[in-house]
Amino acid sequence: MGADCCDHRDLSDLHRGNPAYRRVLWAVLAINAVMFVVEIGAGLAAGSAALQADALDFLGDAANYGISLFVVGMALRYRAMAALAKGGTMGLFGLWVIGTVLWHATHGTLPSAVTMGAVGFAALAANAASFGLLWAYRDGDANMRSAWICTRNDVLGNLAVLLAAAGVFGSGTGWPDIIVAAIMAGLALQGAWIVVRQSLSELRQTIPVRRDAEIEKAARLQARDEVLT
């Protein structure tokens, strides 16, 4: 990824009250909710760890976009706290996928390559649409950045699922599926680290502002008391 992709210091909410940004969030929320239903059913039917992992990723993203809709326009501290929560859920998702990988590796499951490929193409189209919608908002605060990072990871994950489908078809084993699921876990953990690091940085930078306000309030109270005495 090159330079630090979270090296962003503009703490203002550039899209406070922006109806276009809200419409984008509603659109990607709907896309992810629909794809979760489609992909979880297909993943269970096909016995694919990668599709199941991707389905839960769609569910997590839908929840994340819902949180983003709730906090957009709020003060930086609340937006950073929401981003911190989302980073934590991304990390938990990564750990869950690792557990799924271990289960499928132990049981030696063989997923349906045809189902993986068909659903993988549909998921890629859905995430590419979300990626395009969120592109203009990729350089916002931690909360906005987390939404874009989720979608970026999903596009990469979908491409990997298609490669896994081809690998399963060609090799007749489930190992390509397991390897891709492991890669998706790594992407989730990396994204979680990026989001948590920036949200903690933003939270730290809100503390002096709050302290200044408290000092100013104390000074006003002291001045008032001096006038009364």
Side-chain angles (χ1 to χ4, degrees):
M1 296 175 62
D4 186 358
C5 65
C6 255
D7 189 14
H8 179 75
R9 295 293 177 266
D10 183 4
L11 300 182
S12 61
D13 184 2
L14 301 178
H15 301 281
R16 182 186 296 270
N18 184 344
Y21 181 52
R22 287 184 178 276
R23 287 194 296 270
V24 165
L25 287 177
W26 276 115
V28 294
L29 189 157
I31 290 171
N32 280 267
V34 170
M35 284 307 304
F36 162 71
V37 175
V38 172
E39 203 167 26
I40 192 65
L44 291 171
S48 169
L51 284 182
Q52 292 178 51
D54 202 36
L56 287 183
D57 194 24
F58 272 118
L59 177 63
D61 289 349
N64 284 342
Y65 297 135
I67 294 173
S68 295
L69 276 167
F70 180 74
V71 301
V72 64
M74 289 187 176
L76 173 67
R77 179 171 182 80
Y78 299 106
R79 288 182 279 124
M81 289 173 65
L84 182 61
K86 289 193 289 185
T89 60
M90 290 168 66
L92 290 175
F93 162 74
L95 295 176
W96 182 91
V97 174
I98 290 174
T100 301
V101 166
L102 293 175
W103 189 91
H104 281 275
T106 301
H107 290 78
T109 56
L110 178 62
S112 169
V114 174
T115 302
M116 288 178 63
V119 177
F121 272 116
L124 178 61
N127 279 318
S130 298
F131 185 87
L133 289 169
L134 289 167
W135 176 261
Y137 308 100
R138 67 191 182 281
D139 292 324
D141 60 21
N143 182 60
M144 294 167 62
R145 190 175 191 82
S146 67
W148 182 75
I149 286 175
C150 284
T151 304
R152 179 209 65 182
N153 287 353
D154 292 345
V155 171
L156 297 175
N158 294 146
L159 292 173
V161 168
L162 293 175
L163 290 175
V168 169
F169 181 80
S171 67
T173 69
W175 282 108
D177 179 66
I178 292 172
I179 292 171
V180 165
I183 292 173
M184 294 173 69
L187 286 172
L189 292 174
Q190 180 203 38
W193 168 247
I194 291 172
V195 173
V196 167
R197 185 174 58 179
Q198 182 174 349
S199 59
L200 288 175
S201 175
E202 291 179 357
L203 282 172
R204 284 194 297 268
Q205 293 185 50
T206 64
I207 292 175
V209 174
R210 189 174 69 254
R211 287 177 176 172
D212 290 343
E214 291 173 353
I215 293 172
E216 183 180 351
K217 181 179 179 181
R220 287 199 303 268
L221 291 175
Q222 182 178 0
R224 185 191 65 181
D225 292 340
E226 290 176 354
V227 171
L228 293 176
T229 56

